[in-house]
Amino acid sequence: MPDVPTDPNPGVLRPLAEPDQPPEALDEPLGRLRASDDPDQIATAVRDSLSRLPRVLTGPNWLDDCGFDTEQHWWASITARHGAAATFQAARDHLADALDRSRDTAEEIRRDPDPARRTDAWLSHGPEMLRYVAGVSAYARGLLTHTTPQALQGVLEAMAQLGGTDRAVS
């Protein structure tokens, strides 16, 4: 009987199984993220956390098929001007929870004494957690971009225009 390939994407590079950073690498930026109420400090802590997360969850040659690189790119330019303090704090809370969940997953995988099971877990759960954090990050950015001063100005202008128009009576 001929061998049947089990890889659905033969020839595609797969990431190395073992990440090069321990879960504790997230402790410092996560601590800063949770402790801050200042929008710029929150954005900086998010950037630091997102830059470390792939090295905690996946091997050094991981391929981004989950949109995580895009999230890192977006957060690179986010500052306090992108939203009010309360929206940054809401974004912080969502992201801190997602990053905690990712850290716990990495910690659990590292504790497994069986190298084969660990390899399988890194290859399946690492990218899965990056997808999850990318989704939470996109949601958190959405909270910020809907409260920018520019967006608020647009809403105020639209309200002024609507307030100045006569309603058609049918």
Side-chain angles (χ1 to χ4, degrees):
M1 178 178 229
D3 288 334
V4 177
T6 56
D7 188 351
N9 299 316
V12 173
L13 289 176
R14 293 182 61 149
L16 293 177
E18 221 35 61
D20 63 355
Q21 293 290 315
E24 297 80 31
L26 290 174
D27 288 349
E28 188 271 330
L30 266 172
R32 284 188 291 122
L33 179 62
R34 280 191 203 92
S36 182
D37 288 332
D38 177 69
D40 281 324
Q41 290 177 3
I42 290 170
T44 300
V46 170
R47 281 192 293 276
D48 291 348
S49 297
L50 294 181
S51 70
R52 293 180 192 191
L53 186 61
R55 298 182 69 191
V56 168
L57 286 173
T58 59
N61 296 334
W62 73 286
L63 300 174
D64 184 19
D65 65 343
C66 57
F68 195 81
D69 278 345
T70 303
E71 287 308 306
Q72 288 178 310
H73 170 76
W74 280 108
W75 278 97
S77 62
I78 289 179
T79 64
R81 74 176 185 279
H82 289 95
T87 56
F88 267 93
Q89 291 162 11
R92 171 201 62 204
D93 294 343
H94 289 293
L95 283 163
D97 290 345
L99 290 163
D100 274 338
R101 185 173 168 192
S102 298
R103 186 196 183 287
D104 292 346
T105 298
E107 198 169 85
E108 186 176 324
I109 294 170
R110 278 196 185 265
R111 282 195 307 258
D112 190 336
D114 181 359
R117 274 196 318 254
R118 246 191 350 261
T119 296
D120 287 344
W122 287 125
L123 291 172
S124 63
H125 296 300
E128 176 185 313
M129 290 309 298
L130 288 175
R131 276 186 207 91
Y132 169 70
V133 172
V136 172
S137 175
Y139 172 77
R141 280 189 306 103
L143 293 174
L144 300 175
T145 57
H146 287 88
T147 60
T148 62
Q150 296 84 359
L152 181 58
Q153 182 61 37
V155 169
L156 293 174
E157 288 172 7
M159 288 174 56
Q161 289 175 351
L162 287 173
T165 60
D166 293 331
R167 289 193 201 187
V169 180
S170 31

PDB file of all heavy atoms in Angstrom, residues 12 14 19 23 28 31 43 48 70 76 88 98 117 125 130 135-136 141 156 163:
ATOM      1  N   VAL A  12       4.782  23.083   2.299  1.00  0.00           N
ATOM      2  CA  VAL A  12       4.679  24.349   3.014  1.00  0.00           C
ATOM      3  C   VAL A  12       5.567  24.267   4.247  1.00  0.00           C
ATOM      4  O   VAL A  12       5.547  23.269   4.963  1.00  0.00           O
ATOM      5  CB  VAL A  12       3.216  24.636   3.424  1.00  0.00           C
ATOM      6  CG1 VAL A  12       3.134  25.859   4.300  1.00  0.00           C
ATOM      7  CG2 VAL A  12       2.357  24.783   2.193  1.00  0.00           C
ATOM      8  N   ARG A  14       6.679  24.510   7.838  1.00  0.00           N
ATOM      9  CA  ARG A  14       6.000  24.523   9.130  1.00  0.00           C
ATOM     10  C   ARG A  14       6.920  25.154  10.148  1.00  0.00           C
ATOM     11  O   ARG A  14       8.127  25.022  10.067  1.00  0.00           O
ATOM     12  CB  ARG A  14       5.638  23.101   9.539  1.00  0.00           C
ATOM     13  CG  ARG A  14       4.585  22.499   8.630  1.00  0.00           C
ATOM     14  CD  ARG A  14       4.219  21.147   9.090  1.00  0.00           C
ATOM     15  NE  ARG A  14       3.668  21.237  10.434  1.00  0.00           N
ATOM     16  CZ  ARG A  14       2.761  20.420  10.887  1.00  0.00           C
ATOM     17  NH1 ARG A  14       2.285  19.481  10.136  1.00  0.00           N
ATOM     18  NH2 ARG A  14       2.307  20.534  12.112  1.00  0.00           N
ATOM     19  N   PRO A  19       8.963  27.191  21.054  1.00  0.00           N
ATOM     20  CA  PRO A  19       9.207  28.638  21.129  1.00  0.00           C
ATOM     21  C   PRO A  19      10.524  28.918  21.849  1.00  0.00           C
ATOM     22  O   PRO A  19      10.981  28.114  22.654  1.00  0.00           O
ATOM     23  CB  PRO A  19       8.035  29.161  21.944  1.00  0.00           C
ATOM     24  CG  PRO A  19       7.006  28.099  21.875  1.00  0.00           C
ATOM     25  CD  PRO A  19       7.736  26.803  21.728  1.00  0.00           C
ATOM     26  N   PRO A  23       6.887  31.445  28.974  1.00  0.00           N
ATOM     27  CA  PRO A  23       5.681  32.251  29.227  1.00  0.00           C
ATOM     28  C   PRO A  23       5.960  33.464  30.126  1.00  0.00           C
ATOM     29  O   PRO A  23       5.309  34.495  29.993  1.00  0.00           O
ATOM     30  CB  PRO A  23       4.727  31.274  29.909  1.00  0.00           C
ATOM     31  CG  PRO A  23       5.190  29.930  29.488  1.00  0.00           C
ATOM     32  CD  PRO A  23       6.672  30.032  29.297  1.00  0.00           C
ATOM     33  N   GLU A  28       6.303  40.944  32.455  1.00  0.00           N
ATOM     34  CA  GLU A  28       6.641  42.360  32.610  1.00  0.00           C
ATOM     35  C   GLU A  28       5.722  43.260  31.772  1.00  0.00           C
ATOM     36  O   GLU A  28       5.104  44.178  32.314  1.00  0.00           O
ATOM     37  CB  GLU A  28       8.126  42.577  32.267  1.00  0.00           C
ATOM     38  CG  GLU A  28       8.629  43.972  32.578  1.00  0.00           C
ATOM     39  CD  GLU A  28       8.448  44.924  31.414  1.00  0.00           C
ATOM     40  OE1 GLU A  28       8.482  44.470  30.246  1.00  0.00           O
ATOM     41  OE2 GLU A  28       8.257  46.119  31.661  1.00  0.00           O
ATOM     42  N   GLY A  31       2.216  43.142  33.206  1.00  0.00           N
ATOM     43  CA  GLY A  31       2.126  43.897  34.456  1.00  0.00           C
ATOM     44  C   GLY A  31       1.973  45.388  34.187  1.00  0.00           C
ATOM     45  O   GLY A  31       1.153  46.063  34.810  1.00  0.00           O
ATOM     46  N   ALA A  43      -0.839  51.705  25.218  1.00  0.00           N
ATOM     47  CA  ALA A  43      -0.452  51.372  23.845  1.00  0.00           C
ATOM     48  C   ALA A  43       0.956  50.800  23.798  1.00  0.00           C
ATOM     49  O   ALA A  43       1.213  49.817  23.082  1.00  0.00           O
ATOM     50  CB  ALA A  43      -0.566  52.607  22.950  1.00  0.00           C
ATOM     51  N   ASP A  48       4.566  46.019  23.318  1.00  0.00           N
ATOM     52  CA  ASP A  48       5.579  45.137  23.894  1.00  0.00           C
ATOM     53  C   ASP A  48       5.046  43.714  24.059  1.00  0.00           C
ATOM     54  O   ASP A  48       5.745  42.738  23.760  1.00  0.00           O
ATOM     55  CB  ASP A  48       6.062  45.672  25.242  1.00  0.00           C
ATOM     56  CG  ASP A  48       6.864  46.956  25.117  1.00  0.00           C
ATOM     57  OD1 ASP A  48       7.243  47.322  23.976  1.00  0.00           O
ATOM     58  OD2 ASP A  48       7.092  47.615  26.153  1.00  0.00           O
ATOM     59  N   THR A  70      -0.384  41.789  11.183  1.00  0.00           N
ATOM     60  CA  THR A  70      -1.179  42.986  10.904  1.00  0.00           C
ATOM     61  C   THR A  70      -1.499  43.727  12.186  1.00  0.00           C
ATOM     62  O   THR A  70      -1.399  44.958  12.249  1.00  0.00           O
ATOM     63  CB  THR A  70      -2.480  42.608  10.171  1.00  0.00           C
ATOM     64  OG1 THR A  70      -2.130  41.917   8.980  1.00  0.00           O
ATOM     65  CG2 THR A  70      -3.318  43.814   9.856  1.00  0.00           C
ATOM     66  N   ALA A  76       1.656  49.545  16.303  1.00  0.00           N
ATOM     67  CA  ALA A  76       2.901  50.309  16.263  1.00  0.00           C
ATOM     68  C   ALA A  76       2.646  51.804  16.158  1.00  0.00           C
ATOM     69  O   ALA A  76       3.480  52.612  16.575  1.00  0.00           O
ATOM     70  CB  ALA A  76       3.769  49.836  15.100  1.00  0.00           C
ATOM     71  N   PHE A  88      -9.320  53.279  26.005  1.00  0.00           N
ATOM     72  CA  PHE A  88      -8.034  52.596  26.125  1.00  0.00           C
ATOM     73  C   PHE A  88      -8.073  51.606  27.283  1.00  0.00           C
ATOM     74  O   PHE A  88      -7.533  50.506  27.187  1.00  0.00           O
ATOM     75  CB  PHE A  88      -6.894  53.599  26.335  1.00  0.00           C
ATOM     76  CG  PHE A  88      -6.227  54.014  25.068  1.00  0.00           C
ATOM     77  CD1 PHE A  88      -6.644  55.139  24.390  1.00  0.00           C
ATOM     78  CD2 PHE A  88      -5.184  53.273  24.526  1.00  0.00           C
ATOM     79  CE1 PHE A  88      -6.034  55.533  23.215  1.00  0.00           C
ATOM     80  CE2 PHE A  88      -4.565  53.653  23.359  1.00  0.00           C
ATOM     81  CZ  PHE A  88      -4.992  54.787  22.698  1.00  0.00           C
ATOM     82  N   ALA A  98      -6.935  38.285  27.092  1.00  0.00           N
ATOM     83  CA  ALA A  98      -6.511  37.418  25.988  1.00  0.00           C
ATOM     84  C   ALA A  98      -5.050  37.013  26.143  1.00  0.00           C
ATOM     85  O   ALA A  98      -4.685  35.851  25.895  1.00  0.00           O
ATOM     86  CB  ALA A  98      -6.729  38.122  24.648  1.00  0.00           C
ATOM     87  N   ARG A 117       4.085  15.149  22.350  1.00  0.00           N
ATOM     88  CA  ARG A 117       2.826  15.849  22.651  1.00  0.00           C
ATOM     89  C   ARG A 117       3.045  17.356  22.695  1.00  0.00           C
ATOM     90  O   ARG A 117       2.198  18.130  22.247  1.00  0.00           O
ATOM     91  CB  ARG A 117       2.245  15.368  23.987  1.00  0.00           C
ATOM     92  CG  ARG A 117       1.391  14.139  23.877  1.00  0.00           C
ATOM     93  CD  ARG A 117       0.537  13.936  25.121  1.00  0.00           C
ATOM     94  NE  ARG A 117       1.222  14.194  26.364  1.00  0.00           N
ATOM     95  CZ  ARG A 117       1.627  13.258  27.219  1.00  0.00           C
ATOM     96  NH1 ARG A 117       1.413  11.990  26.963  1.00  0.00           N
ATOM     97  NH2 ARG A 117       2.233  13.594  28.341  1.00  0.00           N
ATOM     98  N   HIS A 125      -1.860  24.649  19.091  1.00  0.00           N
ATOM     99  CA  HIS A 125      -2.362  25.692  19.994  1.00  0.00           C
ATOM    100  C   HIS A 125      -1.669  27.040  19.828  1.00  0.00           C
ATOM    101  O   HIS A 125      -2.294  28.075  20.080  1.00  0.00           O
ATOM    102  CB  HIS A 125      -2.263  25.241  21.451  1.00  0.00           C
ATOM    103  CG  HIS A 125      -3.116  24.068  21.762  1.00  0.00           C
ATOM    104  ND1 HIS A 125      -4.480  24.066  21.608  1.00  0.00           N
ATOM    105  CD2 HIS A 125      -2.795  22.828  22.202  1.00  0.00           C
ATOM    106  CE1 HIS A 125      -4.967  22.885  21.947  1.00  0.00           C
ATOM    107  NE2 HIS A 125      -3.962  22.116  22.310  1.00  0.00           N
ATOM    108  N   LEU A 130      -2.602  32.721  18.723  1.00  0.00           N
ATOM    109  CA  LEU A 130      -2.264  33.961  18.025  1.00  0.00           C
ATOM    110  C   LEU A 130      -3.474  34.485  17.255  1.00  0.00           C
ATOM    111  O   LEU A 130      -3.716  35.692  17.222  1.00  0.00           O
ATOM    112  CB  LEU A 130      -1.082  33.748  17.089  1.00  0.00           C
ATOM    113  CG  LEU A 130       0.270  33.557  17.782  1.00  0.00           C
ATOM    114  CD1 LEU A 130       1.353  33.243  16.762  1.00  0.00           C
ATOM    115  CD2 LEU A 130       0.645  34.776  18.605  1.00  0.00           C
ATOM    116  N   GLY A 135      -7.745  38.497  16.932  1.00  0.00           N
ATOM    117  CA  GLY A 135      -9.165  38.875  16.910  1.00  0.00           C
ATOM    118  C   GLY A 135      -9.519  39.831  18.034  1.00  0.00           C
ATOM    119  O   GLY A 135     -10.244  40.816  17.825  1.00  0.00           O
ATOM    120  N   VAL A 136      -9.028  39.556  19.228  1.00  0.00           N
ATOM    121  CA  VAL A 136      -9.286  40.445  20.368  1.00  0.00           C
ATOM    122  C   VAL A 136      -8.628  41.798  20.125  1.00  0.00           C
ATOM    123  O   VAL A 136      -9.215  42.850  20.407  1.00  0.00           O
ATOM    124  CB  VAL A 136      -8.787  39.816  21.685  1.00  0.00           C
ATOM    125  CG1 VAL A 136      -8.861  40.813  22.837  1.00  0.00           C
ATOM    126  CG2 VAL A 136      -9.600  38.569  22.020  1.00  0.00           C
ATOM    127  N   ARG A 141      -8.897  47.539  18.981  1.00  0.00           N
ATOM    128  CA  ARG A 141      -8.598  48.684  18.116  1.00  0.00           C
ATOM    129  C   ARG A 141      -9.880  49.325  17.611  1.00  0.00           C
ATOM    130  O   ARG A 141      -9.963  50.540  17.458  1.00  0.00           O
ATOM    131  CB  ARG A 141      -7.748  48.265  16.917  1.00  0.00           C
ATOM    132  CG  ARG A 141      -6.304  48.125  17.210  1.00  0.00           C
ATOM    133  CD  ARG A 141      -5.464  47.935  15.953  1.00  0.00           C
ATOM    134  NE  ARG A 141      -5.894  46.843  15.105  1.00  0.00           N
ATOM    135  CZ  ARG A 141      -6.590  46.976  13.965  1.00  0.00           C
ATOM    136  NH1 ARG A 141      -6.960  48.158  13.547  1.00  0.00           N
ATOM    137  NH2 ARG A 141      -6.925  45.922  13.249  1.00  0.00           N
ATOM    138  N   LEU A 156     -20.298  65.042  15.067  1.00  0.00           N
ATOM    139  CA  LEU A 156     -20.835  66.355  15.441  1.00  0.00           C
ATOM    140  C   LEU A 156     -21.243  67.155  14.204  1.00  0.00           C
ATOM    141  O   LEU A 156     -22.290  67.818  14.198  1.00  0.00           O
ATOM    142  CB  LEU A 156     -19.818  67.133  16.269  1.00  0.00           C
ATOM    143  CG  LEU A 156     -19.527  66.555  17.660  1.00  0.00           C
ATOM    144  CD1 LEU A 156     -18.396  67.324  18.341  1.00  0.00           C
ATOM    145  CD2 LEU A 156     -20.775  66.549  18.526  1.00  0.00           C
ATOM    146  N   GLY A 163     -29.545  68.646  12.161  1.00  0.00           N
ATOM    147  CA  GLY A 163     -30.307  69.592  12.960  1.00  0.00           C
ATOM    148  C   GLY A 163     -30.751  70.815  12.160  1.00  0.00           C
ATOM    149  O   GLY A 163     -31.753  71.446  12.479  1.00  0.00           O
TER     150      GLY A 163
END
